[in-house]
Amino acid sequence: MPKVILVSTFPLPYPKIGSWTNMYRNYFESGQNQIDTIVCEAPENRFDGVKYALVKNTFWSKIRKKLQYYRVNYVDALLGEIKPNERYVIQFVDNYVLARHFHEKLVLKGLRQNCHVQFFYHGYEPFVPASGASGFFKEVDELILLTNESYKAHLAYYTVFPVRVSILYNGIDTSKFSKVNADEKHKIREDLGLKGDKVFVWCSQDRPKKGLAIVLDAWKSVSAKYPGHELLIIGTHKRGDFDNVRFVGKIPNDELPKYFQASDCYLFPTLCHEGFGLTLIEALNCGCHCIASEQGGVPEVLQFGKLGRLIEKPNFVSEWQTAMEDFIEGKDKPIVVENPVYTLQEWVKSMNVIIANAKNKLS
């Protein structure tokens, strides 16, 4: 039976917030893990029931890492797990250069045919230029994308696209990110000191492409017209003076659910082609009405408007102002999912199907 090896450039479990590292944490703790070995640097703690092939983290390896030669350590650790007479499913996440180095080493050793290389890509648009794509398609056996829309973008970009593709939606722990009843919501609001009639929330890193400046500009007009409402900003510190805006700053992932559960409307004003939008589905499952940019994989995540309002022109402040005012005035009926969507259980099941199919191909 082929063995499955995950190559992670982050130590797993990873103590900090990270979308795909959180999903793998949930996967290894689900009791349904099909991965045999993790190649990574030594973590603070280890998952049970999985072997670790540790990447050296010596003084010289740190120097290599600074000089971008860190891939040598990962490839060496991975090759140490490859036996000539066995077959392997190898998973790489968002690091194509590492996958390429591994491919080259396997070819030299005459072992490439024994491995099925899966590349998990968490972006949206094709990242390998068309001029260099022929090499990529030889080095990777399967490309796992987040949405069908991303697949269509790849299909349209490459005139020749000879690679197996699978789709794996993100999944979250809906036992944590879930709706609460009206009494519980009121209690959470009291605990957080929220007094607004309607509470809007934005959550991300404060980078221009995340659209915070657009939302804050729109909020000035909204708050002036409707002063009884509140906007929560999670993930960044205070910038400027705004009425009825609370800057929460950075918080641990475990504290996010209560902020989403206390809110009424989640704002996702991305100004780039997001691969998926993890906080979007976290807020959605906590009962928030979602207003999001019609960009990248987001429309598919919101089922093309069935699960939230899509903003066709997200760079226009007036579009966000109108959408927020429509929600306050009741012109937009709140869209709240009745049952959990994009669950961890679905993600685990889909991951194991992808692994099983790869094993069958090698058998």
Side-chain angles (χ1 to χ4, degrees):
M1 177 66 70
K3 295 182 179 179
V4 184
I5 302 175
L6 167 65
V7 183
S8 172
T9 51
F10 295 96
L12 296 178
Y14 187 59
K16 300 178 182 179
I17 295 176
S19 59
W20 70 263
T21 56
N22 283 341
M23 283 186 288
Y24 271 101
R25 174 196 288 271
N26 292 334
Y27 179 67
F28 284 109
E29 293 176 349
S30 70
Q32 301 176 58
N33 163 46
Q34 297 296 312
I35 294 174
D36 300 288
T37 304
I38 302 173
V39 175
C40 66
E41 292 184 0
E44 295 177 6
N45 303 295
R46 299 192 186 190
F47 294 120
D48 294 329
V50 63
K51 179 183 176 183
Y52 279 81
L54 297 179
V55 176
K56 292 180 180 179
N57 193 20
T58 63
F59 170 78
W60 289 111
S61 66
K62 290 178 181 178
I63 296 297
R64 276 179 168 180
K65 194 169 186 177
K66 286 186 177 180
L67 296 174
Q68 296 297 305
Y69 296 144
Y70 68 93
R71 304 178 191 93
V72 174
N73 294 330
Y74 281 88
V75 171
D76 287 347
L78 178 53
L79 287 174
E81 297 300 308
I82 306 298
K83 305 296 185 288
N85 297 321
E86 295 190 17
R87 298 183 183 276
Y88 301 88
V89 177
I90 314 292
Q91 296 188 346
F92 292 93
V93 183
D94 290 339
N95 195 318
Y96 163 54
V97 177
L98 189 56
R100 185 181 68 201
H101 280 266
F102 176 64
H103 166 83
E104 291 170 352
K105 289 286 187 180
L106 282 183
V107 170
L108 287 174
K109 292 178 177 291
L111 298 174
R112 181 61 180 87
Q113 69 278 5
N114 293 357
C115 298
H116 181 88
V117 176
Q118 296 180 323
F119 188 82
F120 290 74
Y121 177 50
H122 291 104
Y124 176 79
E125 296 171 315
F127 65 97
V128 178
S131 58
S134 60
F136 173 70
F137 298 139
K138 292 177 183 177
E139 294 152 1
V140 170
D141 299 298
E142 184 176 5
L143 180 62
I144 291 89
L145 302 172
L146 290 173
T147 62
N148 290 288
E149 291 299 297
S150 178
Y151 166 64
K152 291 177 183 177
H154 282 73
L155 198 61
Y157 178 70
Y158 297 115
T159 54
V160 179
F161 190 40
V163 66
R164 179 188 296 256
V165 174
S166 295
I167 305 298
L168 181 62
Y169 286 152
N170 280 341
I172 61 169
D173 186 350
T174 50
S175 67
K176 296 178 181 177
F177 292 94
S178 60
K179 288 185 296 183
V180 295
N181 62 41
D183 290 338
E184 290 174 307
K185 184 169 185 172
H186 179 73
K187 177 65 168 57
I188 295 172
R189 284 193 174 190
E190 282 190 336
D191 292 342
L192 295 176
L194 297 173
K195 299 178 181 179
D197 181 21
K198 299 289 185 185
V199 177
F200 294 79
V201 59
W202 175 96
C203 176
S204 187
Q205 298 172 327
D206 187 8
R207 291 182 285 175
K209 68 179 183 179
K210 296 299 183 178
L212 177 57
I214 297 283
V215 163
L216 289 174
D217 281 350
W219 183 256
K220 290 179 183 178
S221 299
V222 173
S223 185
K225 188 174 180 180
Y226 301 97
H229 307 284
E230 200 164 353
L231 172 63
L232 289 175
I233 302 296
I234 301 173
T236 186
H237 297 292
K238 186 175 182 180
R239 47 185 281 186
D241 292 318
F242 299 90
D243 292 333
N244 303 314
V245 176
R246 182 191 296 189
F247 289 85
V248 179
K250 295 180 180 180
I251 61 174
N253 191 260
D254 287 343
E255 291 187 21
L256 268 180
K258 65 183 179 183
Y259 285 95
F260 290 155
Q261 289 162 346
S263 301
D264 299 291
C265 182
Y266 183 66
L267 304 173
F268 194 75
T270 180
L271 302 178
C272 65
H273 284 177
E274 296 277 355
F276 197 88
L278 199 64
T279 57
L280 187 61
I281 61 173
E282 289 172 343
L284 186 66
N285 277 285
C286 286
C288 289
H289 174 78
C290 293
I291 304 175
S293 302
E294 194 172 351
Q295 291 260 59
V298 172
E300 184 174 338
V301 173
L302 289 183
Q303 296 182 13
F304 303 98
K306 291 182 180 179
L307 299 182
R309 177 164 174 169
L310 294 169
I311 304 298
E312 184 180 359
K313 297 183 286 186
N315 302 76
F316 287 60
V317 173
S318 59
E319 295 290 311
W320 293 94
Q321 179 183 337
T322 299
M324 285 189 273
E325 290 180 356
D326 285 350
F327 179 72
I328 290 171
E329 294 170 3
K331 293 180 181 178
D332 266 0
K333 183 180 178 181
I335 300 174
V336 179
V337 294
E338 294 300 323
N339 299 305
V341 292
Y342 304 112
T343 67
L344 168 63
Q345 292 78 10
E346 292 169 342
W347 191 88
V348 169
K349 182 179 179 180
S350 297
M351 169 65 89
N352 285 343
V353 168
I354 288 171
I355 289 174
N357 289 340
K359 285 183 174 182
N360 289 336
K361 191 173 184 298
L362 285 169
S363 298

